[in-house]
Amino acid sequence: MGTLISSGMTLDATTPIRNKIMESVVGRNNAVIKLDNSKRFHRFSVVSPDFQSCHIVNLETNKFACQSGRCRADKGHTRKVTHIEDADSCPHMKALNANKELWVGLVDSDSVDGGDEEAAIGYEEAAIGDEEAAGGDEAGAMPDQVLENDIPIPHEEPTSVPEFDPVSGLWTFQSVSSHCPRQQEDPIFRKAAEYRSSLSPCNSGVSLDDGGYLVADTTDGPKPFTLSPLLDKEQICICGTKYWSVEFPEGIVKPHYTRATNVYLHHGVAKFMVYDRECLQKKPECLIRYSGRQDALHFLTSCTAAGDEIGWDYVNLVTNSQSSFTAFCKNINTRYYSSDVPFMSRRVFTDFIFSWLSNFKIDFRQPCSRCGHNPKVLVCDGTKIGMSFRNSVAIKPIEVPTCSDEVRPCHTRSGRQFFAYHLSDSKSHKDGKKLAQHDLAYFVARNSNKLKEWEHKQTKKGVTVSERSEAERKSHLLGELPSACKPLVNKFIDRDMSHELLQCMCPIFKVLASEHAVTSLFNYRYLNLLLSVLEGATDVNHLKHKMPEIYKVLYVATKDEDTFPDSIQQFFKFVVSTILELHSSDRDFYPAETVENYNPAVTGHAYYFTPHGGKVRHLPNYVVSKPSKEDQANTSCHKRYADATKSGKTYLFVWSDPFHGHCYGFHVIKQSEGRKDPFTSIFSFMDECPDTIFYDFSCQLEEYCLNREPKYWRNCQFFHDIFHGFTHKCPFVYNSRRLASLSSANSEICEQLNAYLQKIKYSAGSMSQSHFMFYMQFFIHLWNENKRKTLAREERMALLLSK
């Protein structure tokens, strides 16, 4: 390889960029160059001895690994440092061997020996941890993958960014203009946009100058168009004079900028001279500066400006297609009269759009106009849109504890089911409870005339159906039940009740025979109401829309009698008292107070559950031990969570109101979505727990929440959204269609919002953290505004039809 520069050449660098360039030029004379380190290994750029190829070689734990595809196809692409001189080493290893001085000091001499010589230096999957491991805490979750290019973590996390003001909660991206852009329906905007569209060389008074710019065609030759503040003949300035006179019928103006401004239009670039207006006395304090608002113009710099129509065209295009900044710029360029003067570059246009959007000065912390800041019904889901990992290094995962407190479960899944037991109980005791649970499920299937179907499902799940007689099943089942439950269960087994009541009892016993919490059917919020009904103080119809299955049993049971049968009263009262006793030991949760201010540019989350938008609770360290294999739930419901690390981009987790479509914010997921995301976001940002939550894995989310903060979550009902509910095998209690009050809820609103956000996916993927957060907030705000307008229009229509 020839010498590129003189060996005596010195670096006379005055800037970091020049210094870096000169270092690179000098490095071209070397076959091996040390690159910046990754977190896990050292990297070298290596030229083979025959000068035919240049590839990266990594050094990790005293082993070299060549990243050349050709070398990896043959033996010798991985070598321990002690065997780098082997004859069958790849060419890049030989080059490293000739430049030992660059890496010999990086080798750990205490660990040179040992290990497999041909062991590949790859990127292994993270081990699947217990329930608390990020990304692997859910049933069926995929393990996290380690990125091929590790991301350097800054030594100090930023506490602020210049684009966001934590005090006001507003965003500001730098530009000359500071006024709010005009809305599309504004008559001033429409008039200004029509004027600029008329600036075409096809029209009289407009021409192209020698440089290809649109200019005014005057008697004195081509000249820039003019912009100045409107002249108000009645306006009196501070000094007492006016801005016009008979002598100066057009007033007095002075140049605002020393040179013309390029105003970018849909069909070309027009030259404009910008002027300020002076009073007749030319007093500095009376000067009226031109801002551009009167002409719906936005000035990025003194030389670059565009009308609001350019900004709105981009917004409308992005929300209706999967366009990007580059595609928009190319599309505009195809319409230009002169190819000598193109539209803004992608970088300039990006700066224009962000400064233009931020000038709306929107406080995004706006709740649904009907539900307020504390909605009672919410839907959540993750969506595949995010930024590059390299741009999100400052974001801490939302599930990271924010205080040193350790919290252990007050009770676990096995203690909340009907056949309850503690994990510390003897194996024989636990086996007896599980067998009784299995026996009750058998009798439910028999009384529902679905015994063969039930046995088939049990076999499919790998559960052996024992050949015991019904008498043996009955004896064991009644032996495991408390005395208050035996009369009703005995009647159910013997079918000693009306057929109608028998069929009404089947759904209830089916839930009690599962491994899910009893409160999934007997919601804690309505227990006192149920007791009042059983005691005759409240009419049974009050349960119709709150506990429909229990209402049917009580309604049918009192058809021929004035009071509830003793067996039903005893059974239901026992269930209620058991739930109340279990939750009497629930630990108090932290009171709501602002523990972290609203700062989405830094934190990576933006929620609007409170007026201030900040966190209202610290998140403790939850110590939830993983149950043994025999104590794990034998559920048929699983979810495979998408792994964010595979794509190299983050994900979003969003919350929405299913009745009005309003989005209440989001947070960035750096690993994989999990039950930790809905739990942490609600507990950390909402003063009060919502009454109802829709999630595509609600049957397991309920357990996750009750394991950690049962007192906060015990009044909440969990449901699957309709789309994902068809794939679940869990009890019907997670189906929202059983409750008439939720029949109008759009549980698929997050899927619809996801489809909307996918349209801006390609324009948002490469943004910095602050730009990405603002971009998401702005377009979600547009979504909310559209939903608000649609709802208002429907209400007006309903009001007209009612007259």
Side-chain angles (χ1 to χ4, degrees):
M1 180 180 292
T3 301
L4 296 177
I5 61 174
S6 171
S7 60
M9 183 175 181
T10 59
L11 294 177
D12 184 16
T14 57
T15 65
I17 294 178
R18 183 180 299 174
N19 188 44
K20 194 70 176 178
I21 292 174
M22 295 301 294
E23 288 179 359
S24 301
V25 172
V26 171
R28 286 291 302 273
N29 292 327
N30 302 324
V32 179
I33 300 175
K34 180 71 170 64
L35 303 177
D36 293 337
N37 292 342
S38 170
K39 290 190 300 182
R40 298 176 53 192
F41 46 77
H42 301 280
R43 298 191 299 173
F44 301 87
S45 175
V46 183
V47 178
S48 60
D50 57 1
F51 308 121
Q52 296 299 314
S53 63
C54 178
H55 286 282
I56 301 296
V57 178
N58 298 332
L59 170 60
E60 181 184 17
T61 59
N62 295 326
K63 295 178 183 177
F64 284 107
C66 181
Q67 304 302 307
S68 167
R70 176 171 295 181
C71 296
R72 292 171 70 89
D74 301 324
K75 288 186 177 181
H77 74 284
T78 60
R79 280 290 180 269
K80 288 192 60 178
V81 293
T82 54
H83 297 81
I84 197 172
E85 299 179 0
D86 289 354
D88 59 347
S89 296
C90 78
H92 304 96
M93 296 290 181
K94 295 176 180 178
L96 280 167
N97 185 45
N99 292 269
K100 290 185 177 180
E101 67 279 0
L102 294 176
W103 55 264
V104 69
L106 306 174
V107 175
D108 182 8
S109 59
D110 295 332
S111 58
V112 168
D113 296 329
D116 183 7
E117 177 177 288
E118 290 294 327
I121 305 175
Y123 301 88
E124 300 176 355
E125 294 182 350
I128 302 177
D130 60 10
E131 184 184 33
E132 304 302 307
D137 63 335
E138 296 78 13
M142 294 294 292
D144 293 335
Q145 306 293 322
V146 181
L147 273 182
E148 183 173 0
N149 295 320
D150 291 288
I151 304 167
I153 297 178
H155 296 293
E156 295 184 3
E157 296 180 358
T159 57
S160 63
V161 294
E163 298 87 3
F164 182 77
D165 180 13
V167 177
S168 65
L170 300 179
W171 294 82
T172 303
F173 289 87
Q174 188 174 4
S175 67
V176 172
S177 293
S178 59
H179 62 270
C180 179
R182 295 191 178 273
Q183 296 295 331
Q184 297 181 83
E185 58 272 14
D186 191 327
I188 296 178
F189 163 73
R190 292 182 179 274
K191 184 177 179 180
E194 289 175 3
Y195 164 71
R196 284 189 285 271
S197 65
S198 67
L199 300 180
S200 167
C202 300
N203 297 331
S204 60
V206 182
S207 64
L208 290 173
D209 66 6
D210 295 338
Y213 293 91
L214 294 169
V215 292
D217 193 6
T218 67
T219 55
D220 298 331
K223 287 188 177 182
F225 301 99
T226 59
L227 295 168
S228 62
L230 293 175
L231 177 61
D232 184 358
K233 294 183 178 182
E234 301 300 325
Q235 183 177 2
I236 300 177
C237 63
I238 297 175
C239 66
T241 60
K242 292 187 175 182
Y243 287 93
W244 81 287
S245 66
V246 177
E247 183 181 358
F248 299 101
E250 300 298 328
I252 303 174
V253 295
K254 61 178 291 188
H256 185 91
Y257 301 122
T258 57
R259 60 177 180 173
T261 300
N262 295 335
V263 177
Y264 289 86
L265 312 177
H266 282 121
H267 51 272
V269 183
K271 287 282 188 181
F272 278 84
M273 283 298 299
V274 181
Y275 295 95
D276 297 330
R277 188 167 297 282
E278 293 183 312
C279 70
L280 298 178
Q281 297 294 330
K282 297 186 178 181
K283 298 282 187 169
E285 61 270 19
C286 301
L287 184 69
I288 300 178
R289 295 189 175 276
Y290 181 81
S291 66
R293 176 167 172 73
Q294 69 186 50
D295 296 309
L297 273 174
H298 177 78
F299 287 80
L300 178 62
T301 64
S302 61
C303 302
T304 304
D308 291 347
E309 65 273 15
I310 297 293
W312 282 119
D313 282 355
Y314 174 77
V315 170
N316 294 332
L317 179 65
V318 168
T319 53
N320 290 284
S321 67
Q322 295 183 341
S323 185
S324 62
F325 293 100
T326 302
F328 182 84
C329 294
K330 288 181 178 179
N331 184 40
I332 294 289
N333 268 325
T334 60
R335 292 183 260 164
Y336 268 32
Y337 287 108
S338 174
S339 59
D340 296 333
V341 185
F343 187 68
M344 303 180 218
S345 67
R346 182 194 60 82
R347 180 61 180 271
V348 174
F349 179 67
T350 302
D351 292 341
F352 170 84
I353 283 295
F354 275 92
S355 61
W356 182 77
L357 294 177
S358 67
N359 276 0
F360 281 98
K361 301 302 178 188
I362 302 172
D363 189 344
F364 298 114
R365 296 170 290 184
Q366 299 176 16
C368 173
S369 57
R370 274 73 174 176
C371 303
H373 282 290
N374 207 60
K376 297 302 181 183
V377 184
L378 286 170
V379 186
C380 62
D381 197 12
T383 178
K384 295 181 180 180
I385 178 173
M387 59 187 140
S388 168
F389 275 179
R390 294 186 180 276
N391 295 331
S392 63
V393 292
I395 296 178
K396 286 184 178 180
I398 195 172
E399 68 273 11
V400 173
T402 56
C403 66
S404 58
D405 297 349
E406 285 193 355
V407 173
R408 298 181 183 275
C410 303
H411 36 75
T412 59
R413 174 191 54 79
S414 59
R416 292 188 292 267
Q417 59 191 24
F418 182 66
F419 293 94
Y421 61 86
H422 296 288
L423 296 179
S424 58
D425 291 343
S426 65
K427 186 177 185 302
S428 59
H429 177 77
K430 291 188 286 188
D431 290 344
K433 292 292 183 181
K434 292 178 181 179
L435 187 59
Q437 190 178 66
H438 188 269
D439 290 338
L440 180 58
Y442 170 86
F443 288 113
V444 169
R446 186 203 65 180
N447 291 348
S448 303
N449 296 321
K450 296 180 179 179
L451 187 58
K452 289 186 177 180
E453 180 182 344
W454 176 79
E455 290 177 345
H456 175 71
K457 288 182 178 179
Q458 296 297 308
T459 304
K460 194 173 181 180
K461 291 193 297 184
V463 179
T464 304
V465 180
S466 59
E467 298 296 335
R468 295 181 301 150
S469 66
E470 288 194 356
E472 291 175 322
R473 291 179 183 275
K474 176 180 177 180
S475 175
H476 177 77
L477 174 58
L478 294 177
E480 292 291 339
L481 290 173
S483 57
C485 299
K486 290 181 180 180
L488 182 61
V489 176
N490 188 52
K491 289 185 176 182
F492 180 77
I493 296 174
D494 295 340
R495 300 174 182 175
D496 185 17
M497 56 180 67
S498 67
H499 178 74
E500 187 178 6
L501 182 58
L502 187 72
Q503 296 307 310
C504 290
M505 288 301 305
C506 283
I508 293 179
F509 282 129
K510 185 176 182 179
V511 176
L512 299 182
S514 70
E515 297 171 323
H516 295 275
V518 179
T519 50
S520 62
L521 179 63
F522 294 80
N523 186 259
Y524 188 90
R525 191 177 353 136
Y526 304 127
L527 293 182
N528 291 328
L529 175 62
L530 177 58
L531 284 177
S532 179
V533 170
L534 292 173
E535 293 169 358
T538 305
D539 187 74
V540 68
N541 288 313
H542 285 84
L543 293 175
K544 187 173 183 179
H545 300 300
K546 298 178 175 65
M547 306 173 83
E549 295 78 23
I550 297 172
Y551 160 77
K552 289 180 182 178
V553 170
L554 297 179
Y555 176 78
V556 172
T558 55
K559 271 188 174 182
D560 301 325
E561 302 179 21
D562 294 334
T563 59
F564 302 114
D566 290 341
S567 59
I568 291 180
Q569 282 204 53
Q570 291 177 11
F571 183 86
F572 283 162
K573 285 183 177 180
F574 171 79
V575 172
V576 171
S577 62
T578 301
I579 295 173
L580 293 175
E581 181 182 359
L582 175 70
H583 286 280
S584 63
S585 61
D586 289 350
R587 179 185 59 85
D588 290 334
F589 52 87
Y590 298 131
E593 57 180 351
T594 305
V595 298
E596 180 185 275
N597 293 326
Y598 171 72
N599 195 347
V602 173
T603 60
H605 46 249
Y607 282 114
Y608 319 133
F609 294 123
T610 57
H612 56 78
K615 276 188 177 182
V616 297
R617 285 183 190 85
H618 281 297
L619 191 69
N621 180 26
Y622 296 105
V623 183
V624 182
S625 58
K626 188 176 181 180
S628 59
K629 187 174 182 179
E630 60 270 12
D631 291 327
Q632 290 180 359
N634 187 26
T635 178
S636 300
C637 300
H638 298 277
K639 177 179 178 179
R640 294 180 69 85
Y641 289 96
D643 193 352
T645 58
K646 285 186 175 180
S647 63
K649 295 183 182 296
T650 60
Y651 282 176
L652 283 189
F653 194 85
V654 296
W655 285 94
S656 296
D657 164 31
F659 288 105
H660 311 116
H662 187 89
C663 177
Y664 273 89
F666 62 93
H667 70 264
V668 174
I669 303 175
K670 296 189 68 174
Q671 296 173 331
S672 61
E673 176 198 345
R675 295 172 293 174
K676 61 189 181 333
D677 293 293
F679 167 82
T680 306
S681 51
I682 290 296
F683 183 71
S684 299
F685 289 93
M686 285 196 75
D687 292 342
E688 301 176 4
C689 182
D691 294 341
T692 305
I693 284 180
F694 288 89
Y695 184 50
D696 55 16
F697 203 33
S698 279
C699 52
Q700 300 303 312
L701 174 62
E702 179 184 42
E703 175 190 346
Y704 189 93
C705 295
L706 293 177
N707 278 348
R708 287 155 179 79
E709 297 291 346
K711 193 168 186 177
Y712 181 83
W713 292 94
R714 63 191 183 188
N715 288 324
C716 182
Q717 288 182 290
F718 297 84
F719 297 105
H720 300 304
D721 60 280
I722 294 177
F723 177 75
H724 292 91
F726 290 106
T727 63
H728 280 265
K729 309 299 181 184
C730 49
F732 65 92
V733 289
Y734 299 103
N735 186 343
S736 64
R737 287 175 291 180
R738 53 185 278 265
L739 299 182
S741 59
L742 298 177
S743 59
S744 61
N746 180 11
S747 62
E748 302 306 316
I749 188 64
C750 280
E751 299 295 338
Q752 296 162 13
L753 176 60
N754 180 19
Y756 168 80
L757 293 177
Q758 290 303 309
K759 295 175 182 177
I760 63 175
K761 177 178 182 178
Y762 297 100
S763 58
S766 300
M767 294 180 180
S768 67
Q769 180 175 319
S770 58
H771 284 74
F772 177 82
M773 294 300 295
F774 169 76
Y775 203 65
M776 290 295 104
Q777 285 191 280
F778 181 85
F779 281 98
I780 287 177
H781 173 76
L782 287 185
W783 164 274
N784 290 339
E785 284 297 296
N786 289 335
K787 290 297 179 182
R788 181 187 61 79
K789 292 177 181 178
T790 300
L791 186 62
R793 184 169 59 251
E794 291 174 350
E795 289 179 345
R796 289 195 301 269
M797 184 63 66
L799 185 62
L800 289 174
L801 294 175
S802 64
K803 292 182 178 180

